[in-house]
Amino acid sequence: METIVTLGELLAQGAIAGKRVLIRADLNVPLDAQGEITDDTRIRASAPAIRQCLDAGASVMVTSHLGRPVEGERALRDSLAPVCRRLSELLGQDVRLLAHWTSGQFAVAPGQVVMLENCRLNVGESKNSDTLARAIAALCDVYVNDAFGTAHRKEATTYGVAQYAPLVCAGPLMAAEIEALHRALDAPRRPLLAIVAGSKVSTKLTILQSLASKVDQLIVGGGIANTFMLAAGLPIGKSLAEPGLVEEARRIIDTMRARGAAVPIPEDVVVAKTLSADAEARVVDAAEVAEDDLILDIGPRTAEKLAAQIAQAGTIVWNGPVGVFEIEQFGQGTRALAEAIAASRAFSVAGGGDTLAAIARYGIADRIDYISTGGGAFLELLEGKTLPALAILAHRTAQSMLAPESEAF
Ligand code: 3PG
Ligand code: MG
């Protein structure tokens, strides 16, 4: 794991007091048609970094992207205004929203915090414009990247600013996210069990390949499991699958088998003739799926077996529901696994949009050890990819260790 200076370390050194601190957070929260926030998890998760800097007497600027607006085109729906109001409530102090801020024509007093409007409205943000990055870096003495959810993007506020700001560090959320995933994947308590589910093997192929060399059990679900069932020679009717990836699935099964590890293939499944809320769900043996059946969940015998494996696990990494859990009669498999994970003594880590929705639906959030705020970033870390935002923080950390005097304390 790369060494990255953290905000906690800088606070302990007294390097934050009286400084102009720019925090890049990921406050990209879902909004409804009225522009109301429907889930404020990311704002709550980002508050500690801001609070810590305020408490240390810094002048705090916080920015984030919201959605994927067209750069240079300001529309009301792209404004961080609702986010700013929510942050203000959470901090119990006024947070001013600044629309045009890259020129630095504004003042922030120590102990105050301003929000810098949607950074993706700035021309050059997504392409990591060097000019923009230098201008933003010039606003601060210290740059804190706490935006784990955007760590897989190489943009001006996630990468370029980290190149040029006098002093840089990872915020507490960023640090916690990385620590949890490294704890789960680098030196895990065994057995290490991963659940990777979702509609397509193709979108998760590199994750499956990367995990195949690490985990003791790789539980696949959803459309991914259907492709693995095909690879095992089982009928899948008209279920969603990718026949072109059956060879890949076989290779993953073989890689795992050669290490004494396994991809458990469902013994029974829940099928229906249509994917709809009023469809009749039937439990059938995996070998008995009819030509006009759709597999929409794992069956109860399979769920029970997997739950027993989960109970024995030392570490669990969970991404993706194993059935169409949004529809009650196809949600029993995901519910059973969710409850088994909650009851397990394993260190458990979960992430991804659908997974978070399942966790909320079955009310087990407080019994998962770590729930990631990242979607794409969480998946890329699972894939073993280097996240650009982390790479530049690690690079700066390495540089500062070689020549500490060059840092602008
Ligand atoms: C997310 O919601 O996954 C992050 O905020 C990143 O957003 P992006 O996919 O638009 O870069
Ligand atoms: Mg646990």
Side-chain angles (χ1 to χ4, degrees):
M1 178 177 172
E2 334 79 335
T3 306
I4 293 177
V5 172
T6 63
L7 178 62
E9 287 161 353
L10 294 185
L11 285 163
Q13 291 165 16
I16 300 298
K19 295 287 159 65
R20 294 175 304 157
V21 176
L22 171 63
I23 302 175
R24 172 51 158 109
D26 186 335
L27 307 173
N28 185 32
V29 291
L31 303 173
D32 65 16
Q34 283 71 47
E36 300 285 340
I37 296 165
T38 54
D39 175 12
D40 69 354
T41 304
R42 282 179 167 174
I43 309 177
R44 284 184 286 108
S46 301
I50 300 167
R51 229 179 249 127
Q52 288 166 20
C53 292
L54 289 171
D55 290 348
S59 304
V60 181
M61 299 163 270
V62 52
T63 193
S64 170
H65 71 286
L66 182 67
R68 294 175 179 172
V70 180
E71 291 180 1
E73 284 182 23
R74 284 169 195 270
L76 202 59
R77 65 170 185 282
D78 301 321
S79 173
L80 283 171
V83 173
C84 192
R85 279 193 296 275
R86 183 75 189 110
L87 179 65
S88 196
E89 286 166 13
L90 288 168
L91 295 175
Q93 88 179 63
D94 187 44
V95 184
R96 256 186 308 141
L97 180 63
L98 305 177
H100 300 274
W101 51 270
T102 53
S103 60
Q105 301 295 310
F106 59 87
V108 196
Q112 279 188 352
V113 50
V114 292
M115 185 170 284
L116 311 178
E117 186 58 284
N118 194 340
C119 56
R120 282 192 183 160
L121 291 172
N122 297 328
V123 176
E125 169 66 17
S126 64
K127 292 218 160 70
N128 185 29
S129 143
D130 207 55
T131 320
L132 178 64
R134 284 178 191 273
I136 298 174
L139 301 177
C140 68
D141 303 309
V142 184
Y143 163 82
V144 181
N145 192 343
D146 208 24
F148 175 72
T150 328
H152 57 319
R153 306 285 182 224
K154 188 175 180 176
E155 302 181 349
T157 59
T158 63
Y159 192 92
V161 176
Q163 281 178 288
Y164 302 122
L167 192 57
V168 308
C169 67
L173 176 61
M174 181 75 98
E177 295 269 7
I178 301 166
E179 214 226 71
L181 264 172
H182 280 286
R183 179 171 165 196
L185 295 176
D186 292 354
R189 186 144 51 90
R190 302 253 170 199
L192 166 58
L193 178 149
I195 302 169
V196 177
S199 52
K200 287 179 161 180
V201 172
S202 49
T203 55
K204 304 233 172 124
L205 185 60
T206 41
I207 298 174
L208 293 166
Q209 289 165 333
S210 159
L211 291 177
S213 63
K214 294 195 179 98
V215 305
D216 302 299
Q217 279 120 15
L218 181 58
I219 295 175
V220 290
I224 294 177
N226 300 340
T227 303
F228 277 81
M229 286 176 69
L230 272 184
L234 289 163
I236 61 162
K238 48 181 186 139
S239 310
L240 179 71
E242 291 163 291
L245 287 173
V246 163
E247 271 315 307
E248 245 350 294
R250 260 194 212 115
R251 253 196 291 279
I252 289 167
I253 294 172
D254 292 345
T255 307
M256 301 263 316
R257 197 175 283 147
R259 296 173 40 239
V263 184
I265 302 295
E267 286 174 20
D268 58 345
V269 289
V270 177
V271 297
K273 300 299 179 194
T274 58
L275 170 52
S276 61
D278 53 10
E280 186 206 339
R282 288 174 303 117
V283 174
V284 298
D285 267 14
E288 255 126 56
V289 174
E291 260 174 41
D292 60 345
D293 277 339
L294 286 169
I295 302 172
L296 299 172
D297 195 7
I298 54 172
R301 266 191 293 134
T302 303
E304 199 179 313
K305 252 189 137 162
L306 297 179
Q309 291 190 348
I310 288 170
Q312 298 301 316
T315 307
I316 299 165
V317 177
W318 181 21
N319 173 253
V322 292
V324 185
F325 76 99
E326 296 86 347
I327 300 176
E328 180 66 26
Q329 62 270 40
F330 309 122
Q332 297 317 307
T334 301
R335 177 197 292 274
L337 298 201
E339 284 171 356
I341 295 168
S344 147
R345 281 166 36 219
F347 175 67
S348 51
V349 180
D354 290 344
T355 314
L356 266 52
I359 287 170
R361 184 169 179 126
Y362 303 123
I364 56 158
D366 54 3
R367 288 187 290 154
I368 304 276
D369 291 290
Y370 194 82
I371 299 178
S372 179
T373 57
F378 176 79
L379 296 178
E380 290 198 16
L381 260 199
L382 279 190
E383 282 178 68
K385 282 193 183 159
T386 303
L387 307 188
L390 298 181
I392 186 62
L393 292 179
H395 176 72
R396 288 294 308 273
T397 300
Q399 276 186 328
S400 69
M401 283 171 171
L402 286 174
E405 307 84 275
S406 73
E407 291 297 345
F409 272 104

